[in-house]
Amino acid sequence: MLPTSPDRLPDAPVPGLGWRAHPLARAVAFPLCFTATALAISPLGHDSPAWVWAVMQLFCTVVAYLLVVVLMEGRAVPHELAPRRAGGLVTGLVTGAVGCLLVFALCWLFGWRTVTGVDPSAPVWLPVLQVGVVAGISEEIIFRGILFRLAERGLGTWGALLLSALLFGMVHLGNPDATWWGAVAIAVEAGLGLGLFYALTRSLWVVIGVHAAWNVVQGPLLGSAISGATANGDGLVRSSPAGPEALSGGDFGLESSLAAVVLWLAASAWLFIRLRENRDRMLAPAWRRRSPAV
């Protein structure tokens, strides 16, 4: 059980910090710090290879996150990323990998995915860095470590879940092969599903692991497009979607396949039930709490 009260969770700011801990102040500080850091180090990326830009993006995200949680929230060792809880990363990696393999197997079994061979020369390490390490860490810090936590202080756990899921789906509409159905699918899966994972565990280690493993297995390993941002067929396994796009996921990737949506809905339903059973891990909306705790 987490040591919480109806007004406070372990990933909340230390009391007594005044305006610095206000959700709006932190919401403004994060993008400002990210932008300032990016501008400061951007000359280092001039004529640099893609992996340098990926590392720079991750660096900017981590610096902005540390500004919020250490300087503004007064939490020198944030609960959600405490080293003693790093074992959650393994749990997340296994969960994400198994889930993606299961979706791929179902799509292949029902004829929604074809496999034509193996490509040992397919690029692996750069995609793993970009879609696994950088995307997994950066997106989870932004959407769960910052957006979800800040929204939860005002809207409560359920409101934060809905808002972060909606925004997670919307930002993926900017990807090259994005579709509205793909955005809805990823809002349900990664938005709602990972949000529930975080709300239940209060661990960024877990959701980073799930996110990173899902992306790596889906793209560099199995050759599926990832959220419309990469192309099908670019993995170690040569595969491509087959049949109706709503069933196979099409150019958006496995995430918008019927198998992925059903699997994530089932997982989300289980997580929802578990969260309802552990109400000490939930926060009521600010207007229903005894005090507007930050």
Side-chain angles (χ1 to χ4, degrees), residues 46-66:
H46 183 66
D47 292 331
S48 296
W51 71 266
V52 173
W53 286 100
V55 172
M56 287 170 59
Q57 176 189 335
L58 179 59
F59 177 78
C60 294
T61 305
V62 171
V63 168
Y65 172 72
L66 291 177

Side-chain angles (χ1 to χ4, degrees), residues 213 224 235 267:
S224 167

Side-chain angles (χ1 to χ4, degrees), residues 87-103:
L89 180 63
V90 177
T91 301
L93 289 171
V94 172
T95 301
V98 171
C100 191
L101 287 169
L102 179 58
V103 168

